[in-house]
Amino acid sequence: MRFGVLGCADIADRRFLPALARVAGAELVALASRSPSRARAFAERFGGTPVTGYERLLERDDVDAVYVPLPAGLRTRWIERALLAGKHVFAEKPLATGGEEVHRLVKLARARKLTLMENFAFVHHSQHAEVRRLLAGGEIGEVRGFTAAFAVPPRPPGDIRLKPELGGGALLDVGVYPIRAALHFLGTDLKVTDAVLRYDHTLGVDLIGGARLATPDDVDVRLLFGMTTRYASGYQFLGSRGSLTVEHVFTTPSEHRPVILLESKGRLERRTVAPDEQWGNVLRHFTGMVTSATPVGGDASVGELLVRRAELADQVSDHGEPSRGG
């Protein structure tokens, strides 16, 4: 699997490229940047050919798949161009700033028989499989509630996450993680019933928000996200006989040993899960889908996940719109 990178972003430096080097059968071929010096600097560190300009990389015959870590407001354009150039696409989240754009990209990938994947690496960490096993085994009884939160400290001035023209804001940067977690555990039949978004009038982006969702079996779903608080990254299930809580779930380091807290009948039990490398796992998953000729990351249900995640973010935005004055 021969990879090209569209944009020498920080996440490519810290996460993607080091992980790619450890994936068997994957090779970095080229790195593109608008800055020739930045492309050369990345190539000196990670290998591959430095390329000036994203279009020139897409024209290369020796690139099978591209990684797109560009800001959310630019992703749709270059994902679309990559698919039209016949490249498989592994892109940072969200694929686009709206559901209609994601639906269009999914249709294009299917039509071109190409794999398109939105990088929520966290779902590929083994701790979540263990959580599913415990829930299925009835450890906390019938699930009645689910709460998930992802929040980060304030961003520095000029950060791309604070620029509306680049798709900035808390919902698209961190809010999509709790949404994806709800889909992972509760299925696609979710509906936003209420939401709030607090905007910064000067910056023109939302900085903190929350949403309440409903499921067909009446599980109470509450999601929180923001860019103005201390770091928070976790979820909790409330059941008829107890609760299950996990912290540090969205950006879990490879050396971290996750702890699942089970509480039932006044007894608290700590279950430690083995460390895992979610970035390596997600890249192996992507390359496996490409080599098995799986368009859009799988069957119709996987394409549906991409669209439903985007639709739910749209619903949060629509419900939270009246709070612009907040």
Side-chain angles (χ1 to χ4, degrees), residues 309-326:
R309 198 280 310 146
E311 289 175 342
L312 289 172
D314 283 351
Q315 290 178 27
V316 172
S317 182
D318 291 343
H319 279 79
E321 189 71 17
S323 293
R324 277 189 181 273

Side-chain angles (χ1 to χ4, degrees), residues 32-168:
S33 174
R34 292 173 298 178
S35 165
S37 61
R38 188 159 176 80
R40 284 196 301 270
F42 266 58
E44 288 172 1
R45 291 181 59 201
F46 299 106
T49 302
V51 177
T52 303
Y54 307 143
E55 200 68 60
R56 287 184 59 195
L57 186 144
L58 295 179
E59 292 170 354
R60 294 178 65 107
D61 293 333
D62 59 350
V63 171
D64 304 311
V66 294
Y67 171 56
V68 185
L70 298 170
L74 302 178
R75 259 175 230 143
T76 304
R77 173 189 177 191
W78 288 104
I79 291 172
E80 184 173 33
R81 289 195 178 191
L83 292 171
L84 289 172
K87 313 300 184 186
H88 303 282
V89 177
F90 179 73
E92 281 307 315
K93 83 300 295 175
L95 294 180
T97 57
E100 290 185 6
E101 294 170 315
V102 172
H103 189 262
R104 188 177 77 248
L105 292 174
V106 167
K107 286 182 64 178
L108 177 59
R110 283 185 175 145
R112 306 280 293 188
K113 293 182 169 47
L114 294 167
T115 297
L116 171 63
M117 186 171 180
E118 186 174 48
N119 179 29
F120 283 102
F122 79 91
V123 300
H124 296 273
H125 195 291
S126 56
Q127 64 183 317
H128 309 298
E130 177 64 9
V131 168
R132 279 182 158 173
R133 188 188 70 79
L134 293 170
L135 294 174
E139 292 287 343
I140 64 170
E142 181 182 347
V143 174
R144 302 276 174 79
F146 175 75
T147 301
F150 191 26
V152 296
R155 303 292 86 194
D159 191 284
I160 61 171
R161 297 165 184 83
L162 303 178
K163 297 182 178 182
E165 68 274 17
L166 294 180

Side-chain angles (χ1 to χ4, degrees), residues 162-283:
L162 303 178
K163 297 182 178 182
E165 68 274 17
L166 294 180
L171 173 60
L172 292 179
D173 187 56
V174 291
V176 291
Y177 283 82
I179 291 173
R180 185 63 180 83
L183 288 167
H184 183 70
F185 288 111
L186 303 173
T188 59
D189 198 1
L190 298 169
K191 180 181 180 181
V192 176
T193 59
D194 193 19
V196 61
L197 296 174
R198 301 297 182 188
Y199 286 80
D200 182 293
H201 296 293
T202 302
L203 295 173
V205 297
D206 58 297
L207 295 180
I208 193 166
R212 191 167 184 174
L213 286 69
T215 73
D217 50 355
D218 296 324
V219 176
D220 185 17
V221 181
R222 304 187 184 201
L223 311 178
L224 302 171
F225 51 89
M227 300 193 298
T228 62
T229 69
R230 70 172 181 84
Y231 181 82
S233 172
Y235 57 70
Q236 181 181 61
F237 288 90
L238 296 177
S240 57
R241 296 201 305 271
S243 65
L244 183 156
T245 306
V246 193
E247 295 293 336
H248 211 32
V249 297
F250 296 125
T251 56
T252 311
S254 58
E255 68 277 7
H256 178 66
R257 297 181 66 85
V259 176
I260 299 173
L261 298 178
L262 283 169
E263 186 172 7
S264 180
K265 298 179 181 179
R267 177 185 173 189
L268 180 63
E269 180 183 354
R270 299 169 60 91
R271 298 197 183 184
T272 302
V273 181
D276 200 8
E277 187 187 11
Q278 59 191 39
W279 270 86
N281 291 344
V282 72
L283 285 173

